[in-house]
Amino acid sequence: MEFRDSPEETAFRQEIRSFIEQNLPQQRRHDEVMAEEYGPPADTERAKFIEDWKQALAGRGWIAPHWPKEYGGGGMSVGEQFIFNEEMARVRAPTFGGFGVTMIGPVLIMYGTDEQKAEHLPGITSGAVTWCQGYSEPGAGSDLASLQTRAVRDGDDYVLNGQKIWSSGAHRADWMFMLARTDPDAPKHRGISMFLLDMKTPGIQIQPLVNMANDHAFNQEYFDNVRIPAKNLVGEQNRGWYVGATLLDFERSNIGAAIGLRNTVNDIIRFVEENPDARVQANQAARLELADRAIEAEVGRLFSYRIISMQKRGQVPNYEASVNKMYRSEVQQRIAQTGMRLVGLYGNLWRGNTWAPLRGRLSHMYVASVSATIAAGTSEIQRNVIATRGLGLPRG
Ligand SMILES: Cc1cc2nc3c(=O)[nH]c(=O)nc-3n(C[C@H](O)[C@H](O)[C@H](O)COP(=O)(O)OP(=O)(O)OC[C@H]3O[C@@H](n4cnc5c(N)ncnc54)[C@H](O)[C@@H]3O)c2cc1C
């Protein structure tokens, strides 16, 4: 692994830094509330900044840095994406595109019809259209292939009935990409299809699910005879499992999240240095604990480097991506726990309270990070992957 940038990479990093310098006002750096995470910004001045920043990124194709330029992306190599994400995370810059950029866009580039590409890709790269993911159901999470939502062909449409759950951002999304069962008699992986669903279609009922951090981040949806035009089938009927499992060769190191951990550890250190009460809390044991967290955040960063160095060599990360995800999400929880111990009772203060340490970010992270080891594949599932594919152990 070569840690230093090549001359080309140095120039590219400089280009990104200049872009940030010109387009991201100083007071907006480290503005922790992301644009799409909690809905439209409350104040108009912030709303204008978000829109300007979005336009600046879209103008360069940088809402979708890893997509080919012909589809409105940035055409970046995996190495360039790594640098781009690293630099953006360093200043906690707002990002856009969500599931559209990371999941359905790449799937459409690979499997979509020309009509689907023309209809959907420009809205994603301009940041105008938001997507949600409709995979999980009450009886199908880790064992996703057990999903029961049915889509039955009827003339030019499919008719959808069933339920999805934990759909992040579905209440704000314009479209959902989703998996539904189209052949109940086939073996379970072979009877599933992928669809694009306009969230304004009659028959969709969205119910909010408010999480323990008091965020309305995800939802459950009920489908009652919802008609999906057959042109919105992605790939072939009954091949949705394989379409949905597609991972294109884009950046999987998640360096942004790793830098985020380091940023939070730095924030806690700064808080302890500046705050006499926290200094009292920071006895020898607590100092060692904080040092452990700093080291773990650094190890998380090195795991990201491992992934990117594999990708640069043309290898496809497999169990290594599971190691990365599992480790990072567990460290995130430990950092939040250490931080809460150090801020003491102030940790009970929430966002919006003047006295809340780190503007309430820590208290929020403490409760929100509980889900980190569940979302996008639980730690147990990641451990299974590491055991079987990484260590060659037999299946349990
Ligand atoms: C914050 C958040 C956002 C999410 N966003 C979305 C979204 O946008 N769209 C979407 O479709 N889904 C979303 N999900 C759902 C997520 O994908 C599922 O929660 C996850 O896959 C786990 O499934 P489950 O909740 O049904 O738990 P289950 O699969 O029922 O698991 C329950 C427990 O059993 C364990 N377990 C299950 N199988 C095994 C096994 N084989 N070996 C060992 N242990 C096992 C699990 O690790 C877990 O501890 C989100 C979840 C969270 C927490």
Side-chain angles (χ1 to χ4, degrees):
M1 170 76 210
E2 174 55 81
F3 285 91
R4 282 167 304 193
D5 288 342
S6 67
E8 297 77 38
E9 285 170 338
T10 305
F12 183 71
R13 193 181 291 280
Q14 199 45 54
E15 184 187 341
I16 306 290
R17 286 188 178 175
S18 308
F19 175 82
I20 290 172
E21 214 40 60
Q22 285 160 20
N23 294 286
L24 191 66
Q26 191 72 40
Q27 75 274 19
R28 291 297 181 190
R29 296 176 201 169
H30 300 274
D31 190 347
E32 73 272 17
V33 184
M34 295 290 102
E36 290 175 356
E37 212 174 338
Y38 303 112
D43 63 289
T44 47
E45 195 257 326
R46 186 166 189 279
K48 181 176 176 331
F49 149 69
I50 293 283
E51 193 50 38
D52 289 350
W53 174 242
K54 191 199 299 188
Q55 292 309 325
L57 288 171
R60 297 268 194 131
W62 286 357
I63 285 187
H66 56 282
W67 292 18
K69 285 194 169 161
E70 58 176 307
Y71 296 116
M76 291 185 195
S77 67
V78 282
E80 288 170 339
Q81 291 159 46
F82 185 82
I83 291 171
F84 177 82
N85 292 337
E86 198 173 27
E87 291 301 318
M88 291 290 159
R90 207 173 43 82
V91 292
R92 293 194 172 107
T95 55
F96 305 90
F99 288 120
V101 164
T102 55
M103 300 189 86
I104 188 61
V107 166
L108 289 181
I109 288 172
M110 193 162 218
Y111 292 103
T113 61
D114 289 343
E115 192 187 347
Q116 287 169 345
K117 287 178 191 166
E119 183 179 354
H120 295 295
L121 299 184
I124 298 174
T125 50
S126 68
V129 178
T130 52
W131 287 79
C132 63
Q133 178 195 34
Y135 281 18
S136 303
E137 297 181 6
S142 304
D143 183 16
L144 183 60
S146 296
L147 61 90
Q148 295 298 325
T149 293
R150 284 279 279 129
V152 178
R153 183 77 191 236
D154 180 31
D156 289 340
D157 297 333
Y158 284 85
V159 179
L160 188 70
N161 282 286
Q163 181 191 358
K164 293 289 170 184
I165 195 167
W166 314 125
S167 328
S168 303
H171 54 304
R172 289 191 303 273
D174 303 295
W175 286 79
M176 171 187 275
F177 60 99
M178 52 123 37
L179 297 175
R181 190 159 299 284
T182 36
D183 183 351
D185 301 322
K188 62 181 183 178
H189 292 88
R190 301 211 188 124
I192 294 172
S193 302
M194 182 186 274
F195 295 97
L196 309 176
L197 172 62
D198 184 340
M199 293 300 278
K200 289 185 293 300
T201 316
I204 307 176
Q205 193 200 342
I206 305 178
Q207 287 186 355
L209 293 171
V210 177
N211 67 19
M212 65 192 272
N214 207 26
D215 297 325
H216 174 193
F218 44 37
N219 309 268
Q220 57 185 343
E221 304 81 33
Y222 295 92
F223 307 111
D224 181 12
N225 288 319
V226 175
R227 298 193 80 86
I228 306 180
K231 71 179 175 64
N232 290 358
L233 171 73
V234 183
E236 287 173 43
Q237 179 171 302
N238 296 329
R239 299 286 299 167
W241 181 260
Y242 309 97
V243 173
T246 302
L247 278 177
L248 288 194
D249 184 23
F250 60 79
E251 215 263 279
R252 289 177 73 196
S253 73
N254 231 324
I255 182 67
I259 300 289
L261 296 181
R262 185 65 228 207
N263 283 345
T264 307
V265 172
N266 288 345
D267 287 346
I268 298 171
I269 293 171
R270 203 171 312 118
F271 181 83
V272 172
E273 282 170 352
E274 290 170 358
N275 191 298
D277 286 348
R279 277 207 301 277
V280 173
Q281 311 265 5
N283 55 29
Q284 187 63 7
R287 293 160 76 90
L288 292 177
E289 188 179 324
L290 190 52
D292 279 347
R293 299 297 90 86
I295 292 165
E296 288 170 352
E298 184 60 15
V299 172
R301 196 170 71 90
L302 296 179
F303 274 136
S304 293
Y305 273 86
R306 181 185 187 193
I307 303 272
I308 195 68
S309 65
M310 287 179 72
Q311 290 190 305
K312 278 183 174 173
R313 287 196 300 269
Q315 297 167 346
V316 179
N318 184 309
Y319 70 89
E320 295 87 348
S322 288
V323 172
N324 197 19
K325 194 269 166 181
M326 188 194 79
Y327 184 81
R328 202 183 53 244
S329 52
E330 295 185 357
V331 170
Q332 186 186 347
Q333 292 174 349
R334 287 200 291 275
I335 290 174
Q337 286 158 10
T338 298
M340 287 296 265
R341 265 197 282 281
L342 283 163
V343 302
L345 288 174
Y346 282 103
N348 287 316
L349 300 176
W350 209 239
R351 285 194 296 223
N353 186 302
T354 328
W355 302 101
L358 277 58
R359 293 160 66 196
R361 188 191 301 136
L362 199 56
S363 334
H364 184 262
M365 182 177 166
Y366 181 68
V367 278
S369 65
V370 170
S371 67
T373 46
I374 303 171
T378 68
S379 277
E380 289 77 17
I381 296 299
Q382 308 300 344
R383 284 189 165 86
N384 280 347
V385 171
I386 296 163
T388 50
R389 294 192 214 156
L391 300 174
L393 295 174
R395 283 184 183 280

